[in-house]
Amino acid sequence: MPGKLKVKICAGRHLPVMDRASDLTDAFVEVKFSNTTFKTEVYPKSLNPQWNSEWFKFEVDDEDLQDEPLQITVLDHDTYSANDAIGKVYIDIDPLLCSEAATVICGWFPIYDTIHGIRGEINVSVKVDLFNDLNRFRQSSCGVKFFCSTSIPKCYKAVVVHGFVEELVVNEDPEYQWIDRIRTPRASNEARQRLISLMSGELQRKIGLKVLEMGGNAVVGYLQCFDLEGESGLVVRAIGTACTLDKISNTSAAQLPACNSPSKEIKEAPFSEDPNPNTHSSGPSTPLKNQTYSFSPSKSYSRQSSSSDTDLSLTPKTGMGSGGSAGKDGGHLKTLLRQQTQSALEQREFPFFTLTSFPLGFLIHAGGVVSARSVKLLDRIHNPDEPETRDAWWEEIRQEIKSHAKALGCHAVVGYSESTSICEEVCILSASGTAAVLNPKFLQDGCLDCYSENRLEDTSPPSCGFCHIPYDELNMPFPAHLTYCCNCRRQKVPDVLFTTIDLPIEAAVTGKGCLIQARLCRLKKKAQGEANATAISNLLPFMEYELHTQLMNKLKLRGMNALFGLRIQISVGENMLVGLASATGVYLTALPAPGGIQIAGKTPSDIAYEQHISNIQKKINDTISRNKELYEIHPLEISEEVIGSPIPEPRQRSRLLRSHSESSDEVSELDLSHGKKDAFVLEIDDADAVEDILSLLTDAPLPTGFYSCNTENMPGIHNWTSSIQMFTTVRVFRLNNSLYFKLISFVYLPLSKKSFAFSISFVSHFTISAPSLDKASPLAEGHLRLRSTPSCTDSTVTVVKMTPLSFIPGAKIIKYLGIINMFFIRETTSLREEGGVSGFLHTFIAEVFAMVRAHVAALGGNAVISYIMKECVFMENSNKNQVITLYINAIASTQFIKKHYN
Amino acid sequence: MSVELDVFVGNTTIMDEEVYQLWLDGYTVNDAVSIRMKSGILEQFGTTEDVLESDTMDHYRTFQMTERLLHHPSKLVNQVLFQIPPHRQAMLIERYYAFDEAFVREVLGKKLSKGTKKDLDDVSAKTGITLKSCRRQFDNFKRVFKVVEEMKGPLVENVQCNFLLSDKLARDYAAIVFFANSRFETGKKKLQYLTFEDFAFCACQLIQNWTVGAVDNMVEDMDVDLDKEFLQDLKDLKILITDKDMLDQHKSLVCTGLRGKIQVFNEMEGNFKNLSRGLINIAAKLTNTKDVRDFFIDLVEKVIEPCKADRWLISDVRAFLTQYTNSARALDGFKHQAVWERYMCVIKSCILKMYHD
């Protein structure tokens, strides 16, 4: 069914001088949609033309409306030669297709040119008349809302969470087509920008269709990625979680997470169904008191501990796939619950959720981090319409993740994400998530209430329930050291919990959280094709193991016991691999206190050496106690008897469930285990190694008053001001074969959400980009008053706030206007005039911000949430007279927010 | 491990006022880093030098990018590239257009030409202001001059709406433009003791009373050029010194009025004819452009220096000038009251302003 798109070009301003003789410009505008083009009159000799055109009308299919961007080109009229392009504006009209979002796009858009950057602005109005299409076989999916945030948007209520949606679209990369040899760099950049815009439109439409099929009306946690595979093509893929959302009309309720009914039920439920009444009897019978006030969020964890002498046993995985679903033993209620949920999830191929925070009561248990990696060799995509190879690759990985989750006794994966790293023809595909047991209530249509009378098998209080192990204690998927939950003392918890999700708001936390990072760099030999892939896949398990050990050590050093928002990224370059793991460490009240770190030498005979070791040991102990002080971790001392008898396992072992597979689909696992009970032992061979370990473990401390984390909420800190500032920082270092490098010294800015994405291009060339958010720390509050200065005229530019978070502190979100999905290419041949590489990138990032802001303002919005600069590829070609090409893909949801300051 | 690329960009443009000042003052990144280090910032924030350097670089880049917008402040307000809160924009503009006293004294009244710009390195060496900063200030003067030179309407207002400056700064720029246009001599040794503020005050008086705009407020160049007709009329005042009777009568009127009221009565009486000749000759010569340029030097040589030599107090000068002006009205046969008032009110306030050490 067709829709009618109407476009009006009003005026331009600040145009560049195109005619040197008169220092003026004769500008006109071409408006193109799909295959139709309109032109305005030429407005002669002005840098601020007033076209005031008629409404150009395009009659188009709604399928096109979703796929195609509106393309506006500003040109300089030239009587004798070809007209010169000034620049372009691409407008995604998707937000207009959703009934409750914006009705008109109207505002000043920066005119962008891939060679010159922003060149003036143009005022455009866009409207759409859409005729509703009820055809069952339609190809369009107008009206499905997309949210980039990985939590249920604040002014909506999740009625049903349907589950995982994924799609990928492939195409040939215009940069590598034969025509590229004869066309100008500008034309080729524009072809690429347009193609990607088209592809992401198509992708969104297809995902929308899937959502409609599932009966949903929105996609939450929409994550879109580009793989620039070079000669073999261009892949745009996306994953998300389909949901049915209801708008909350009562605005006062909007601040609470969507569903609070289940939590009530949980609270009211009796605690009689403890699966392990015998062991429990030794504990006190007063746990209920504690539960009433502490509400803790649901989290998933993976626990593991390791010592440096652990042997890596790469055992073939057998029996893991059998699943933890039914009939393990005992017929416990837990199993029952699992079966119920299972049925809800069974229809689904992949019970995955990209969400990282959930409505209260959604998450019952978290099992641990599951991840899978696979190394692939890229080959040319022969038929863009049948992207089967790429689909198959991801399918494989997802199956693997699913089986890992099953092995952990979980039927779902939450906080799920996928990523790739490409270097020449080798591609590493990675996926990770947190195995979890979910409340079936949210997963089924129309039975929100049918469970209300059911006994709730899981009676754990919300503040610690998610920590309880989902697997059967007697039949653990991996050896782990279990204790009774320090909060309710009824169920078992592991000693460490690693998860990819956000800290649930109801979780009981002791002290403050902090950012923990592990960094690693491994050299590899230069190789081609198959050999290269093999070399990389051989290195991967070691890297993962080492990152993991680092994380664990750092966690212990801070006296914490859980990691949230864990992201492990492994990037591949020509002769090195780089790994970066970042997460937010917290001390979960429910989990046991972490043990210390013990240093053990291998040659105890030498006295001086012993001395040295003990010095180090002392330093480490000091650091731990200092950190405990710093993060205010003062857990209540609980005597041994109260905790209950420790599990009669003299040796605790834990295994990180993780594998990487090569093309052969061979699955291997790491067994990270250690043999001491409480302490964490680092064994070292020589004195130098000690220094290494020490320097590796101790990051430069943040200045007082500054906190950083990579999750949505800063654990343990609540008094945010409403003043926020978002920033992007990019650094590139040339590495001189140094094995370990200090990646980033995050200093003197309080950070809340950071996400890192980096890639290596060329030899030992490294890029990191971190769009991050800076929140004013409580210390800075006093400086936020505006001084009024009279000499300012009113600005026509709307202030737009941006944040990578899913909310804006101190402000209330009134309306969601849609998704902003932009892709930019910038190239220059005059690097020196642009102020070098840094100057060039600085300008470019500022331009990207400006363009995002302009689009948001045109939609009538004043804020951008969940902003992420997904990809930042940097290519330098010194042969071609210093050409630099940059790609930035920025994705965000747009919002109109209303402020209310507390 | 060398840093190839290192940028830090905020959605709301990140700007530190101190770094901005260092940039405006023309310091290089390295100098700025060492100045910032001396302020104890490292200890305060627990950072390292390379972080400070990186931060300074980020700021410098931002300022360099905003500079082209600062040349046209109205563009800064409407641009979309940088999100800067209004009070910050005002600060940026105000500081960018601020100038150093030492610098402006060197350039005031000079032709804002390429030649003058070439001599800026001498100015820089003399004043200790970096050449970069000198160039910025010079270019600011020139830019403002070019824009308002041919405009209709009051000079101060024109400066203010085109450059969004504060009242005070706009008035200073009006003075600079006025001086540059008439090329008043301000650099002579005898004038060195005068501050920019003195000149700015005088310029303001001249603009308000002697320009075309003082009579007709809708002509071009109204505030920039002196009223030619008025200057012509000033020749008529010569009668006050050429007519012997009138001169004597004037003297006796002034002496009667001031007897016992000023400390330097005798010196005044002895010097009256010289002073009066000086004042009237200045008026009579103003039709020559060359003599207009020497206006201030003439005031100093003919009036201020003789009085200073006789140790007149400023109150004495005020009393004398008031009496001198008023007495002329009572003179028989003196028909140029209006011109006289218009001339003397400016002369009086200028001399009083300039009468200090």
Side-chain angles (χ1 to χ4, degrees):
Chain A
M1 275 291 273
K4 200 187 270 177
L5 172 69
K6 296 188 284 184
V7 184
K8 180 179 174 156
I9 307 295
C10 307
R13 67 182 182 196
H14 306 153
L15 293 189
V17 170
M18 298 300 283
D19 180 3
R20 283 280 160 78
S22 65
D23 267 3
L24 289 167
T25 297
D26 306 318
F28 72 100
V29 182
E30 270 181 19
V31 186
K32 189 176 173 197
F33 189 81
S34 202
N35 292 318
T36 321
T37 308
F38 291 101
K39 277 183 196 177
T40 65
E41 311 267 292
V42 174
Y43 193 93
K45 306 213 178 302
S46 171
L47 297 182
N48 300 293
Q50 304 289 322
W51 292 289
N52 267 324
S53 77
E54 52 178 313
W55 285 94
F56 299 122
K57 295 184 185 73
F58 300 86
E59 285 177 354
V60 278
D61 274 355
D62 46 2
E63 196 180 324
D64 282 344
L65 279 174
Q66 282 196 294
D67 288 3
E68 296 267 351
L70 176 68
Q71 187 179 326
I72 294 166
T73 314
V74 186
L75 297 124
D76 176 51
H77 176 77
D78 216 325
T79 321
Y80 304 108
S81 59
N83 299 328
D84 295 323
I86 295 174
K88 286 190 186 230
V89 180
Y90 292 94
I91 302 177
D92 181 10
I93 44 175
D94 215 46
L96 293 180
L97 305 179
C98 184
S99 51
E100 45 184 295
T103 53
V104 63
I105 298 178
C106 173
W108 289 98
F109 292 89
I111 303 167
Y112 181 74
D113 178 72
T114 57
I115 309 286
H116 295 104
I118 291 181
R119 305 171 98 188
E121 292 118 48
I122 182 168
N123 194 304
V124 181
S125 299
V126 185
K127 283 184 192 169
V128 173
D129 290 337
L130 195 64
F131 311 107
N132 239 344
D133 187 2
L134 297 172
N135 180 359
R136 255 178 350 115
F137 303 105
R138 63 184 177 167
Q139 286 301 303
S140 68
S141 57
C142 299
V144 175
K145 294 185 274 288
F146 284 82
F147 300 96
C148 296
S149 52
T150 54
S151 58
I152 302 293
K154 291 266 158 55
C155 58
Y156 291 93
K157 183 175 116 162
V159 181
V160 186
V161 179
H162 298 282
F164 190 62
V165 279
E166 52 79 30
E167 186 61 77
L168 69 86
V169 189
V170 298
N171 210 320
E172 262 187 80
D173 193 336
E175 190 96 354
Y176 294 89
Q177 284 165 354
W178 66 269
I179 194 170
D180 205 55
R181 292 187 204 142
I182 52 166
R183 64 181 164 190
T184 62
R186 176 181 282 125
S188 122
N189 290 341
E190 279 169 3
R192 213 168 179 186
Q193 260 185 227
R194 203 184 109 78
L195 178 72
I196 288 183
S197 182
L198 207 67
M199 284 168 78
S200 48
E202 185 188 340
L203 192 73
Q204 231 169 294
R205 174 174 59 83
K206 286 187 170 167
I207 288 217
L209 273 175
K210 288 193 174 174
V211 172
L212 292 175
E213 258 167 46
M214 293 169 98
N217 65 1
V219 182
V220 183
Y222 183 70
L223 310 170
Q224 184 186 299
C225 294
F226 294 94
D227 298 332
L228 300 170
E229 292 184 353
E231 287 198 6
S232 59
L234 211 148
V235 178
V236 186
R237 60 196 161 76
I239 55 175
T241 307
C243 296
T244 304
L245 297 183
D246 253 3
K247 188 145 190 170
I248 301 174
S249 45
N250 180 4
T251 44
S252 66
Q255 262 143 305
L256 295 169
C259 291
N260 40 18
S261 56
S263 70
K264 261 183 227 147
E265 285 153 21
I266 287 170
K267 259 194 281 175
E268 288 153 13
F271 278 77
S272 58
E273 300 104 330
D274 194 290
N276 245 330
N278 295 332
T279 31
H280 180 243
S281 56
S282 59
S285 53
T286 55
L288 282 171
K289 269 190 212 157
N290 306 353
Q291 298 150 9
T292 33
Y293 13 93
S294 52
F295 278 75
S296 70
S298 52
K299 279 286 170 179
S300 65
Y301 68 83
S302 92
R303 54 145 316 212
Q304 76 214 46
S305 41
S306 55
S307 66
S308 58
D309 62 343
T310 316
D311 48 341
L312 293 167
S313 55
L314 303 170
T315 49
K317 176 164 130 185
T318 49
M320 281 304 219
S322 65
S325 61
K328 275 256 162 138
D329 63 333
H332 284 322
L333 301 163
K334 224 181 215 174
T335 325
L336 244 169
L337 168 77
R338 200 172 290 142
Q339 276 168 334
Q340 282 171 355
T341 344
Q342 196 71 25
S343 61
L345 286 165
E346 235 149 45
Q347 306 97 323
R348 253 158 255 162
E349 196 182 3
F350 298 113
F352 295 170
F353 300 89
T354 52
L355 302 179
T356 58
S357 60
F358 312 92
L360 214 56
F362 183 79
L363 182 70
I364 296 175
H365 295 303
V369 169
V370 284
S371 74
R373 286 181 211 283
S374 143
V375 182
K376 299 288 183 193
L377 276 178
L378 299 171
D379 51 354
R380 189 170 274 278
I381 301 168
H382 294 292
N383 183 1
D385 295 329
E386 296 289 325
E388 278 152 348
T389 347
R390 302 300 185 273
D391 269 339
W393 288 356
W394 287 110
E395 169 97 22
E396 233 169 59
I397 288 204
R398 288 171 193 145
Q399 285 296 356
E400 207 179 311
I401 292 269
K402 193 178 169 188
S403 67
H404 288 338
K406 272 190 179 168
L408 281 171
C410 298
H411 57 72
V413 175
V414 293
Y416 180 73
S417 64
E418 295 175 347
S419 63
T420 55
S421 167
I422 297 170
C423 178
E424 315 234 304
E425 78 263 85
V426 176
C427 172
I428 302 181
L429 310 180
S430 322
S432 69
T434 305
V437 177
L438 302 177
N439 192 330
K441 225 177 274 269
F442 291 94
L443 303 171
Q444 275 161 343
D445 273 311
C447 42
L448 255 188
D449 297 316
C450 66
Y451 278 86
S452 53
E453 311 128 43
N454 276 13
R455 290 181 311 157
L456 272 167
E457 290 83 355
D458 186 76
T459 56
S460 328
S463 62
C464 62
F466 71 92
C467 313
H468 300 161
I469 49 163
Y471 34 82
D472 207 297
E473 189 193 326
L474 300 172
N475 205 349
M476 284 193 291
F478 53 82
H481 179 227
L482 303 180
T483 50
Y484 278 101
C485 173
C486 300
N487 200 31
C488 65
R489 289 180 205 129
R490 285 178 173 265
Q491 302 214 20
K492 297 283 177 67
V493 291
D495 55 353
V496 181
L497 179 62
F498 280 20
T499 72
T500 57
I501 57 176
D502 274 348
L503 181 71
I505 31 163
E506 65 273 18
V509 172
T510 306
K512 292 176 182 141
C514 74
L515 183 78
I516 293 180
Q517 279 190 319
R519 305 135 195 167
L520 185 64
C521 181
R522 278 288 177 103
L523 296 182
K524 74 169 182 66
K525 288 217 176 73
K526 236 182 186 175
Q528 294 296 317
E530 199 83 37
N532 196 15
T534 314
I536 291 170
S537 51
N538 286 340
L539 268 175
L540 282 179
F542 293 97
M543 291 193 62
E544 289 226 36
Y545 172 77
E546 220 161 298
L547 281 173
H548 215 273
T549 313
Q550 261 192 51
L551 278 179
M552 186 62 95
N553 286 340
K554 288 186 176 179
L555 189 67
K556 298 241 173 198
L557 205 60
R558 285 170 175 81
M560 297 174 181
N561 59 14
L563 282 180
F564 289 96
L566 177 66
R567 292 272 173 277
I568 298 182
Q569 290 162 332
I570 294 195
S571 300
V572 58
E574 215 163 76
N575 53 8
M576 71 167 71
L577 280 166
V578 174
L580 172 68
S582 42
T584 302
V586 291
Y587 185 100
L588 282 179
T589 319
L591 264 49
I597 299 177
Q598 248 175 44
I599 300 282
K602 274 202 173 144
T603 48
S605 50
D606 190 345
I607 294 170
Y609 184 62
E610 284 278 284
Q611 187 89 38
H612 189 63
I613 297 279
S614 64
N615 269 348
I616 299 293
Q617 179 71 56
K618 191 166 169 295
K619 264 190 209 164
I620 288 186
N621 291 344
D622 287 352
T623 317
I624 294 181
S625 50
R626 205 171 48 239
N627 277 330
K628 279 192 177 169
E629 208 54 51
L630 181 63
Y631 299 113
E632 294 165 23
I633 300 171
H634 306 294
L636 297 169
E637 290 298 329
I638 307 166
S639 67
E640 197 65 14
E641 313 108 79
V642 183
I643 298 176
S645 57
I647 292 155
E649 249 188 307
R651 294 163 65 88
Q652 49 155 325
R653 289 158 61 82
S654 78
R655 181 163 54 185
L656 169 68
L657 250 198
R658 175 212 305 137
S659 70
H660 82 277
S661 66
E662 215 189 305
S663 335
S664 60
D665 206 16
E666 176 195 338
V667 179
S668 57
E669 266 174 52
L670 290 176
D671 189 351
L672 313 169
S673 50
H674 67 84
K676 291 269 160 64
K677 197 181 158 257
D678 226 342
F680 202 71
V681 182
L682 284 174
E683 234 168 69
I684 41 180
D685 304 338
D686 54 73
D688 292 343
V690 178
E691 300 298 337
D692 284 351
I693 285 172
L694 204 65
S695 64
L696 203 64
L697 288 181
T698 45
D699 292 314
L702 288 173
T704 42
F706 296 103
Y707 307 99
S708 75
C709 69
N710 71 340
T711 50
E712 293 260 305
N713 287 299
M714 181 87 218
I717 299 175
H718 306 288
N719 49 342
W720 292 116
T721 63
S722 51
S723 148
I724 54 163
Q725 160 77 300
M726 190 190 71
F727 57 83
T728 293
T729 171
V730 178
R731 283 181 164 208
V732 172
F733 293 91
R734 225 176 257 286
L735 298 170
N736 298 324
N737 296 344
S738 61
L739 253 177
Y740 294 109
F741 62 103
K742 292 244 158 70
L743 214 49
I744 301 165
S745 40
F746 280 111
V747 207
Y748 82 95
L749 275 168
L751 306 172
S752 178
K753 186 160 179 172
K754 283 191 210 115
S755 57
F756 297 96
F758 55 71
S759 60
I760 311 172
S761 55
F762 301 102
V763 193
S764 317
H765 203 168
F766 196 80
T767 320
I768 305 146
S769 83
S772 324
L773 176 108
D774 147 23
K775 289 176 153 192
S777 73
L779 284 179
E781 263 174 333
H783 301 276
L784 303 170
R785 287 277 117 80
L786 290 190
R787 280 175 302 142
S788 61
T789 319
S791 63
C792 272
T793 57
D794 277 342
S795 157
T796 54
V797 184
T798 325
V799 174
V800 176
K801 292 208 170 196
M802 290 166 75
T803 167
L805 299 176
S806 66
F807 61 95
I808 291 196
K812 197 159 95 188
I813 293 167
I814 299 294
K815 196 176 174 189
Y816 283 77
L817 298 171
I819 191 169
I820 296 258
N821 188 344
M822 295 167 113
F823 179 84
F824 298 104
I825 299 176
R826 183 83 148 78
E827 181 170 337
T828 189
T829 45
S830 54
L831 197 58
R832 196 172 301 154
E833 293 89 280
E834 302 252 12
V837 189
S838 293
F840 176 59
L841 189 65
H842 194 135
T843 319
F844 188 34
I845 293 174
E847 283 173 344
V848 169
F849 283 159
M851 283 181 281
V852 172
R853 284 195 304 261
H855 279 84
V856 172
L859 283 168
N862 61 5
V864 179
I865 59 165
S866 315
Y867 173 85
I868 181 164
M869 193 172 97
K870 251 298 199 255
E871 208 93 42
C872 176
V873 184
F874 200 78
M875 302 211 293
E876 201 168 351
N877 188 343
S878 41
N879 303 335
K880 265 205 265 170
N881 199 13
Q882 284 238 303
V883 177
I884 289 212
T885 321
L886 255 173
Y887 311 92
I888 287 188
N889 175 219
I891 304 189
S893 317
T894 317
Q895 260 72 57
F896 179 75
I897 54 157
K898 197 172 133 192
K899 298 253 173 74
H900 67 95
Y901 297 99
N902 304 326
Chain B
M1 190 167 80
S2 65
V3 179
E4 287 275 300
L5 193 163
D6 182 3
V7 298
F8 190 95
V9 190
N11 176 37
T12 301
T13 308
I14 298 163
M15 290 179 171
D16 182 286
E17 295 193 20
E18 273 167 47
V19 187
Y20 185 50
Q21 196 56 54
L22 292 172
W23 176 74
L24 288 175
D25 289 342
Y27 290 105
T28 62
V29 174
N30 287 339
D31 292 346
V33 169
S34 47
I35 292 172
R36 290 181 83 190
M37 266 163 63
K38 276 181 204 140
S39 73
I41 196 166
L42 290 189
E43 294 72 30
Q44 193 185 340
F45 291 100
T47 57
T48 55
E49 191 178 339
D50 47 323
V51 172
L52 194 65
E53 187 179 331
S54 143
D55 177 63
T56 312
M57 278 298 294
D58 281 319
H59 276 104
Y60 269 56
R61 269 198 304 273
T62 309
F63 299 139
Q64 270 149 23
M65 282 189 258
T66 37
E67 188 164 19
R68 105 196 126 76
L69 296 163
L70 284 165
H71 291 167
H72 311 278
S74 55
K75 272 195 189 165
L76 182 74
V77 178
N78 287 315
Q79 53 86 32
V80 293
L81 188 54
F82 301 101
Q83 183 160 276
I84 307 170
H87 70 281
R88 278 260 140 143
Q89 291 180 358
M91 182 279 289
L92 287 179
I93 296 168
E94 193 75 6
R95 292 245 190 121
Y96 190 79
Y97 283 90
F99 47 81
D100 290 307
E101 166 83 27
F103 176 79
V104 74
R105 282 294 284 108
E106 291 299 319
V107 176
L108 194 66
K110 284 195 183 140
K111 196 174 173 191
L112 299 175
S113 63
K114 285 219 175 86
T116 316
K117 196 173 177 180
K118 268 184 202 145
D119 298 337
L120 285 182
D121 37 0
D122 295 339
V123 176
S124 167
K126 193 174 161 192
T127 57
I129 298 164
T130 58
L131 183 59
K132 210 172 154 231
S133 179
C134 288
R135 292 217 172 109
R136 171 181 62 84
Q137 297 181 38
F138 182 83
D139 289 340
N140 283 343
F141 292 171
K142 193 166 173 177
R143 194 175 319 110
V144 175
F145 183 83
K146 287 263 181 223
V147 169
V148 300
E149 188 185 23
E150 310 268 281
M151 254 179 203
K152 285 182 186 174
L155 190 55
V156 181
E157 271 173 41
N158 285 342
V159 172
Q160 204 163 4
C161 22
N162 283 285
F163 293 91
L164 310 175
L165 301 178
S166 67
D167 262 358
K168 162 93 177 65
L169 201 53
R171 255 183 269 119
D172 287 349
Y173 267 93
I176 292 164
V177 169
F178 183 75
F179 269 71
N181 189 58
S182 300
R183 311 258 303 279
F184 288 105
E185 175 61 66
T186 64
K188 285 271 159 59
K189 217 174 180 183
K190 283 180 178 164
L191 296 177
Q192 284 308 318
Y193 78 99
L194 292 168
T195 63
F196 171 72
E197 206 249 317
D198 296 335
F199 286 116
F201 175 86
C202 298
C204 184
Q205 292 296 315
L206 281 126
I207 291 170
Q208 276 173 12
N209 297 295
W210 286 6
T211 57
V212 197
V215 266
D216 177 356
N217 58 10
M218 264 341 273
V219 287
E220 268 181 37
D221 293 348
M222 54 172 268
D223 281 349
V224 187
D225 292 335
L226 295 176
D227 184 354
K228 290 261 158 50
E229 257 175 69
F230 165 67
L231 297 181
Q232 203 62 45
D233 293 345
L234 283 177
K235 284 196 186 276
D236 300 339
L237 299 181
K238 268 199 147 174
I239 193 166
L240 283 174
I241 46 172
T242 46
D243 186 325
K244 186 119 193 343
D245 290 345
M246 213 178 267
L247 182 60
D248 289 337
Q249 200 187 346
H250 195 184
K251 182 181 173 184
S252 64
L253 279 172
V254 171
C255 288
T256 323
L258 289 179
R259 194 179 304 275
K261 288 192 185 144
I262 57 172
Q263 293 178 341
V264 287
F265 183 80
N266 294 333
E267 291 86 339
M268 187 276 290
E269 197 173 19
N271 227 352
F272 179 86
K273 284 186 183 166
N274 277 338
L275 288 175
S276 187
R277 269 195 206 105
L279 285 167
I280 304 300
N281 278 331
I282 292 173
K285 287 197 302 180
L286 281 178
T287 39
N288 297 330
T289 327
K290 163 95 185 45
D291 291 306
V292 170
R293 287 185 198 167
D294 289 338
F295 176 68
F296 291 100
I297 206 146
D298 286 343
L299 280 185
V300 169
E301 280 177 355
K302 303 280 156 54
V303 186
I304 295 171
E305 281 185 347
C307 294
K308 275 188 184 166
D310 291 338
R311 299 173 180 272
W312 291 36
L313 296 176
I314 188 158
S315 54
D316 301 335
V317 181
R318 182 179 294 113
F320 168 73
L321 287 173
T322 313
Q323 193 60 40
Y324 178 75
T325 311
N326 295 342
S327 307
R329 281 185 217 137
L331 292 176
D332 299 330
F334 183 66
K335 309 235 163 47
H336 311 288
Q337 298 298 348
V339 177
W340 177 247
E341 294 284 333
R342 189 173 171 190
Y343 175 69
M344 278 312 292
C345 85
V346 170
I347 292 292
K348 185 179 142 193
S349 20
C350 288
I351 289 177
L352 289 175
K353 185 76 194 172
M354 292 159 72
Y355 199 81
H356 61 79
D357 295 327

